[in-house]
Amino acid sequence: MTTQLTRDAEELKALPRGGRRAVVMTMGALHEGHATLVREARRLAGPDGQVVVTVFVNPLQFGAGEDLDRYPRTLDADLALAGQAGADAVFAPSVDEVYPGGEPQVRITAGPMGERLEGASRPGHFDGVLTVVAKLLHLSAPDVALFGQKDAQQLALIRRMVRDLNFPVEVVGVPTVREDDGLALSSRNRYLSEADRATALELSRALLAGAAAVDGGAAAVRGSARGILEAAAKLEPPVLLDYLALVDPSDFTEVPDDYAGEAVLAVAAKVGTTRLIDNVPLQLGAER
């Protein structure tokens, strides 16, 4: 299908729309995980609806020393992949288009959940994420917005923002897409050397080990995952663990050992020069 590229917010607003509009927000460097999001957006929008993919590397969510400058930018390939997956339009604005006049003085604050885990490691990150998501929701005016569950904390915060601030949009989470060896798809995987990649597989192995121990409760889940990661810290290159956490998906607080209900086992670590995150959803004990 022919996919329209627009860089102008007014052009985006002027795109004709019939049925539902579904939006998939990305920072580009699209891969099969993004394609899965677009295909699900196409299904939800229906044949008479419209699918818009946004491509924008948001400077507000990168901290000092992070990889803003080297983050991959592959717009031509992104446009082709988006079209093949079913997108009607790709909105790829400039920084000046999204933030006219420079960095915004008024921003969304992520609150306590935004200060945990990823937020503790990357202060201000989620304020930047929510600010750009809010702006892109206003600019694209979708009926439904789709996000990957690989960024589980981000998804939880977007859901909370939409609920707390009464955004008229349905938020849909799409399961993590993995490569055949279990590595979660990420635009940052291209930074991994062959040796890095071999070590990086220990992250998904740890999560799967934790998930397999779910009948033993929260302590068993944590212990099984941590055992894999402690061994992986001795590899070359090593897994340099940032955090391993078993959390309540509603607020990302650590769950107690006697917890029963939905949970997320999340990990973040650096392998070589690349920081990776991954998670698996779990059900502990009897449903609450």
Side-chain angles (χ1 to χ4, degrees), residues 7 20 44-45 55 60 62 78 83 110 113 161 173 188 203 211 220:
R7 295 177 175 276
R20 302 181 86 200
L44 293 176
V55 173
L60 294 193
F62 288 81
D78 295 344
M113 194 192 335
M161 177 185 74
R188 290 185 168 93
L203 299 184

Side-chain angles (χ1 to χ4, degrees), residues 25-28 53-62 71 73 75 78 91-99 132 136:
M25 296 184 190
T26 82
M27 291 207 302
V53 174
T54 69
V55 173
F56 180 65
V57 181
N58 176 36
L60 294 193
Q61 67 193 69
F62 288 81
Y71 196 88
R73 290 156 171 87
L75 184 57
D78 295 344
F91 177 50
S94 66
V95 173
D96 289 340
E97 183 72 20
V98 177
Y99 301 120
V132 78
L136 290 172

Side-chain angles (χ1 to χ4, degrees), residues 69-82:
D69 290 337
R70 73 166 184 154
Y71 196 88
R73 290 156 171 87
T74 58
L75 184 57
D76 289 342
D78 295 344
L79 185 63
L81 185 147

Side-chain angles (χ1 to χ4, degrees), residues 153-238:
Q153 190 174 4
Q154 171 181 286
L155 174 59
L157 280 161
I158 291 169
R159 290 189 193 278
R160 187 64 188 243
M161 177 185 74
V162 164
R163 185 179 73 197
D164 285 357
L165 300 183
N166 300 103
F167 279 75
V169 64
E170 176 189 0
V171 175
V172 172
V174 177
T176 301
V177 178
R178 299 183 180 278
E179 300 196 31
D180 291 341
D181 56 13
L183 186 68
L185 287 178
S186 169
S187 300
R188 290 185 168 93
N189 289 353
R190 67 187 66 199
Y191 300 152
L192 298 171
S193 68
E194 186 174 347
D196 292 343
R197 185 185 172 86
T199 292
L201 295 177
E202 298 303 301
L203 299 184
S204 57
R205 282 191 63 226
L207 295 177
L208 290 174
V214 70
D215 288 344
V221 170
R222 292 186 184 98
S224 296
R226 191 165 293 280
I228 299 273
L229 293 171
E230 287 174 352
K234 301 173 184 177
L235 297 175
E236 184 55 46

